[in-house]
Amino acid sequence: DAQELAGLELRTTRRRLSAWLQLSRLPFHTVGVLPFVLGGVLAWRHTEAFRWDVCGWGTLGVVLVMLATYYAGEYWDYREDSTGWKLSASEGLVPSRFAGGSRVVQRGLLPRRAPLWASLVSVFLAFVVGGVLQFGYGTGPWTLPLGLAGLAGGFFYSTRPVRWVSTGLGELWIAFCYGGLPVATGCYLQLGEVLPVVHRMAIPIGLTIANVILLNEFPDYRADAATGKANLVVRLGPERGARLYGVVGLCSWVSVVFSTQWGVPQNALWIHMPVLALSAVLVRSVWRGRWRDSATLEKLCAATLVVNLATTAAYILAVVRWGNG
């Protein structure tokens, strides 16, 4: 009857909304939004002025670029993600939350081409937001080029024929797009220039996000190798990939220390101490091969993400307290 039909339509709508939320991977937007906020906080500390409307539009732009990236990855990595999903199912393993995509399309919750069209719409809307900022708010001539840089690295990370992930440059693009670029953009939109201190903070953030993407490649190693997705872990193998994780971690510690000698507030080092300690524990665990256990690897991936977010948050706190003791 009509009541049952209405209930069925409501349940269908809820399932589709849930599928889109899963596809959008909202929790992972923090890795781009937090560095953007850091750039804005740096600008505020520099001038004691802050444009909330510009910050709001800029945050929306960052989110749209990330949506374009995640949606494109869901479409262009369909074969790899499907292979990884089948391998996990055949071995009775729970698929990783940090690799293999959302699996929304694989489960038939959305049509195969839905992520592709959503990605293209996100790209278009990102251009609209960039135009509003550059021409409506007068944020400066580099506004649209900064957005284009983010799209170049994010949208084409998985998208063919460019497909940075299979060139050996994908991890470098991630380090740039989730490290220096959002910090510089957040600062530029407020000031019309990029302060030199941005680059000193960008290095540790970029290195920690590089380790996030590197370790996230471990759960899908076999599926990626079988389908020709030549990311760094496929190129190096897990053993050497684990050693690289340690080297990148060590470089991130050194860069934090040196950043406080190059204009970053001195209290940043002390605020960072718990983060550095956690990172050291993770490097030791990865070097000792703890990644071989799938349940432990899942925890290592989560903790590596925490290191990245906490590194950015530590810088934000240090800048807010700059000059306040």
Side-chain angles (χ1 to χ4, degrees), residues 72-289:
E74 293 280 348
Y75 179 80
W76 292 103
D77 287 341
Y78 176 81
R79 188 163 65 102
E80 293 87 345
D81 294 345
S82 298
T83 301
W85 189 37
K86 291 175 182 176
L87 283 173
S88 297
S90 66
E91 298 175 3
L93 300 175
V94 177
S96 173
R97 293 172 295 164
F98 302 96
S102 67
R103 303 172 189 88
V104 165
V105 175
Q106 284 79 3
R107 288 180 287 162
L109 300 177
L110 288 174
R112 170 76 173 86
R113 286 186 172 270
L116 175 62
W117 288 110
S119 180
L120 294 176
V121 169
S122 298
V123 169
F124 171 75
L125 292 177
F127 273 107
V128 171
V129 170
V132 168
L133 285 167
Q134 181 165 329
F135 303 111
Y137 286 91
T139 51
W142 285 98
T143 300
L144 281 171
L146 286 169
L148 279 171
L151 287 170
F155 179 76
F156 289 107
Y157 181 75
S158 295
T159 299
R160 293 180 172 88
V162 178
R163 200 161 169 78
W164 298 118
V165 67
S166 292
T167 64
L169 299 175
E171 293 79 6
L172 292 176
W173 269 109
I174 292 294
F176 170 68
C177 289
Y178 289 94
L181 183 60
V183 183
T185 303
C187 182
Y188 180 82
L189 292 182
Q190 294 289 334
L191 291 180
E193 63 175 310
V194 178
L195 299 173
V197 72
V198 163
H199 310 297
R200 289 103 191 223
M201 293 183 174
I203 295 173
I205 297 171
L207 289 170
T208 55
I209 194 62
N211 258 355
V212 169
I213 193 65
L214 181 66
L215 201 62
N216 286 357
E217 292 170 355
F218 276 63
D220 278 346
Y221 168 70
R222 289 186 299 158
D224 291 343
T227 53
K229 187 177 180 179
N231 54 41
L232 268 184
V233 172
V234 171
R235 290 169 178 268
L236 297 174
E239 297 289 345
R240 285 190 290 178
R243 291 196 289 272
L244 177 61
Y245 176 94
V247 171
V248 173
L250 176 61
C251 290
S252 72
W253 310 340
V254 173
S255 65
V256 168
V257 174
F258 274 99
S259 73
T260 61
Q261 308 301 314
W262 298 336
V264 174
Q266 290 290 324
N267 62 357
L269 181 59
W270 306 113
I271 298 173
H272 265 100
M273 282 301 179
V275 185
L276 298 178
L278 174 59
S279 179
V281 171
L282 294 175
V283 166
R284 182 173 181 269
S285 297
V286 171
W287 271 2
R288 295 184 66 179

